[in-house]
Amino acid sequence: MSALARYQPLYTVNDYMQWKGDWELWAGHPVSMSPSPFGRHQAILTKIASLLVNAVENANCAATVIAEIDWVVDPTTVVRPDVLVVCGESPERHVEQAPALTVEVISATSIERDRIYKRELYRDKGVGNYLIVDHEKRTIILHRQSNRWAEETIEQILDLTICEDCRLSIDLSRIFQ
């Protein structure tokens, strides 16, 4: 066994906060973020964020929609979802509570991360709802916390309850137009 294989340092959020560039920290291991997403990815992300902001405002919810912000999951894990919704006001620095809704727009370089690692992380850390948007296949999958982590395909209307009593109904069919 090489010295490199035996020495695999684990990092903390404090280490992470000192790094330059775009990184996530998964259970103490640094993970380089993909290069800046292409225009179509960002356009879909913007549409989703806009639809969520409008839905939260129309429902008069005590919730905040935020794009591209760090969620400090625990002392050794930091992820940066594409969009998330937190109950209450926007945090001063980064999110420290489990989001009510997390959205990832997958790309060729993030499919495995988003569909496997982040899905399991979000389930295990109490994210209420996890939306995976695949712009190539034009599909939207919702993972919802209930008695278990339930998966459903969203064809058009996304109905969900966040932050205990905030009911949202969002027409997601427009995001691929």
Side-chain angles (χ1 to χ4, degrees):
M1 175 181 283
S2 73
L4 179 60
R6 285 186 301 224
Y7 179 71
Q8 295 181 2
L10 296 179
Y11 296 95
T12 67
V13 171
N14 291 334
D15 299 319
Y16 169 86
M17 295 298 177
Q18 306 304 312
W19 297 345
K20 303 283 187 229
D22 286 328
W23 296 88
E24 289 184 330
L25 182 63
W26 296 0
H29 298 280
V31 176
S32 177
M33 300 282 286
S34 302
S36 179
F38 293 115
R40 182 154 180 177
H41 178 280
Q42 291 305 89
I44 289 173
L45 187 151
T46 301
K47 284 182 183 180
I48 292 169
S50 296
L51 290 169
L52 286 169
V53 166
N54 290 338
V56 165
E57 288 176 356
N58 290 339
N60 200 24
C61 293
T64 306
V65 179
I66 311 170
E68 297 285 330
I69 189 171
D70 287 346
W71 171 28
V72 177
V73 178
D74 61 41
T76 63
T77 304
V78 180
V79 292
R80 188 177 307 147
D82 287 326
V83 179
L84 52 77
V85 179
V86 294
C87 299
E89 296 293 319
S90 179
E92 191 172 311
R93 294 191 60 207
H94 45 258
V95 174
E96 294 185 6
Q97 65 189 28
L101 171 67
T102 302
V103 180
E104 296 286 2
V105 179
I106 64 173
S107 61
T109 57
S110 72
I111 290 173
E112 184 177 3
R113 292 177 184 184
D114 294 337
R115 288 197 174 162
I116 298 171
Y117 177 78
K118 286 188 175 180
R119 183 192 67 202
E120 291 174 2
L121 175 73
Y122 296 163
R123 177 198 65 211
D124 295 346
K125 296 301 183 177
V127 171
N129 302 278
Y130 176 35
L131 203 61
I132 301 174
V133 179
D134 185 333
H135 60 86
E136 293 295 323
K137 293 183 179 178
R138 299 173 68 93
T139 59
I140 303 169
I141 304 294
L142 173 68
H143 296 273
R144 185 187 316 245
Q145 290 281 11
S146 55
N147 297 355
R148 59 182 175 76
W149 194 240
E151 178 180 309
E152 59 189 275
T153 300
I154 306 300
E155 297 292 334
Q156 185 171 358
I157 304 298
L158 171 62
D159 287 312
L160 55 92
T161 301
I162 62 169
C163 307
E164 296 183 29
D165 62 350
C166 179
R167 186 103 176 111
L168 304 179
S169 183
I170 307 162
D171 183 356
L172 293 179
S173 65
R174 300 182 348 195
I175 66 171
F176 297 121
Q177 295 175 351

